[in-house]
Amino acid sequence: MIDNNIFISSATLIPDMYNDYNIQSDDFVSRFPIWVANALEELKFIQAYVNVEKDIEFDDHRCQLPWDFRGIIDVIINNKKAILKNSAEFNKDTITEKVTTVPTYTPYPGIPNADITSPGDKNDSFNHAPVDKEQPYYYISNNWIHTNVDYGTIHLRYRALPVVYDSIINMDVPLIYNNGPLKKYIKLNVIKQML
């Protein structure tokens, strides 16, 4: 059953955890918001997201995504709109306009190898449309955003968990549905993370 107040601060679970599980240490509080977000994700709980805009300074071609990040809307790098690249094809050092084909042979009878390609072909390469080497590219891997730009500012618009600032623990914490079984699951999940 859902109470009248739809959302509550997940920080309201912290005093319950001290009382219910006889916790004697404050070490878990700094990691609590991330553990709550991970619990919601692990539960595959349908959560309302909010749109957030944030400027992030970066260097060495990368920066870490915010902890509440749940999906990208768009990325602007040094005031230029960036294009998402598949990480398998992204390599900042080898952006080129020319692609060389590799000879392959068919295992199927009745299809001549020359119809696919052969090492003797004179035309063993083709040209892409020109690549704009000034155009920023990015890809996301392991909670990091990587780019072909050395350093600067990323203006990130993304979907995030709704959060509220809690002045007692001095940090943003996720809002959660005011639902008894959900609150119990989150508390148990945080205890699991502590062990």
Side-chain angles (χ1 to χ4, degrees), residues 39-40 42-43 180-190:
L40 291 170
E42 183 179 302
L43 187 59
L182 175 64
K183 292 191 280 189
K184 184 171 184 172
Y185 174 82
I186 289 172
K187 289 190 287 186
L188 291 173
N189 194 283
V190 169

Side-chain angles (χ1 to χ4, degrees), residues 58-65 75 77 82-85 87 90 92 136-149 154:
F58 74 97
D59 62 356
D60 195 27
H61 300 280
R62 67 186 181 146
C63 68
Q64 191 165 16
L65 291 168
V75 175
I77 301 173
I83 297 172
L84 176 66
K85 287 296 231 177
S87 61
F90 180 87
K92 65 181 172 50
Y137 297 96
Y138 73 94
Y139 72 93
I140 296 172
S141 175
N142 295 330
N143 207 30
W144 288 80
I145 186 166
H146 300 263
T147 179
N148 62 333
V149 178
I154 292 178

Side-chain angles (χ1 to χ4, degrees), residues 1 6 28 33 49 67-68 72 129 141 151 154 161 193 195:
M1 181 175 138
I6 295 177
F28 76 98
Y49 293 123
W67 69 268
D68 59 346
I72 209 142
S141 175
Y151 60 91
I154 292 178
L161 290 171
Q193 296 294 331
L195 298 177

Side-chain angles (χ1 to χ4, degrees), residues 26-193:
D26 292 335
D27 292 345
F28 76 98
V29 174
S30 63
R31 294 182 296 270
F32 182 78
I34 294 170
W35 287 345
V36 170
N38 290 344
L40 291 170
E41 192 170 302
E42 183 179 302
L43 187 59
K44 299 196 183 334
F45 194 80
I46 298 172
Q47 179 79 3
Y49 293 123
V50 294
N51 293 341
V52 176
E53 292 189 34
K54 192 175 276 188
D55 288 329
I56 304 170
E57 299 292 324
F58 74 97
D59 62 356
D60 195 27
H61 300 280
R62 67 186 181 146
C63 68
Q64 191 165 16
L65 291 168
W67 69 268
D68 59 346
F69 173 85
R70 290 299 177 266
I72 209 142
I73 297 171
D74 69 8
V75 175
I76 298 172
I77 301 173
N78 294 337
N79 297 321
K80 293 182 181 178
K81 184 156 176 65
I83 297 172
L84 176 66
K85 287 296 231 177
N86 181 333
S87 61
E89 67 183 64
F90 180 87
N91 185 338
K92 65 181 172 50
D93 298 324
T94 60
I95 296 175
T96 179
E97 296 177 14
K98 187 175 181 180
V99 174
T100 303
T101 59
V102 177
T104 57
Y105 298 96
T106 177
Y108 302 107
I111 300 175
N113 289 328
D115 287 351
I116 296 173
T117 185
S118 71
D121 286 344
K122 298 272 188 223
N123 188 10
D124 64 350
S125 65
F126 61 94
N127 288 331
H128 279 292
V131 174
D132 181 4
K133 292 184 180 173
E134 300 300 317
Q135 177 72 44
Y137 297 96
Y138 73 94
Y139 72 93
I140 296 172
S141 175
N142 295 330
N143 207 30
W144 288 80
I145 186 166
H146 300 263
T147 179
N148 62 333
V149 178
D150 292 337
Y151 60 91
T153 303
I154 292 178
H155 181 77
L156 186 63
R157 287 190 335 123
Y158 64 97
R159 288 178 204 25
L161 290 171
V163 296
V164 64
Y165 178 76
D166 188 281
S167 59
I168 295 171
I169 60 173
N170 195 26
M171 60 178 48
D172 289 332
V173 294
L175 291 172
I176 59 171
Y177 286 107
N178 191 7
N179 178 287
L182 175 64
K183 292 191 280 189
K184 184 171 184 172
Y185 174 82
I186 289 172
K187 289 190 287 186
L188 291 173
N189 194 283
V190 169
I191 291 294
K192 178 180 88 171
Q193 296 294 331

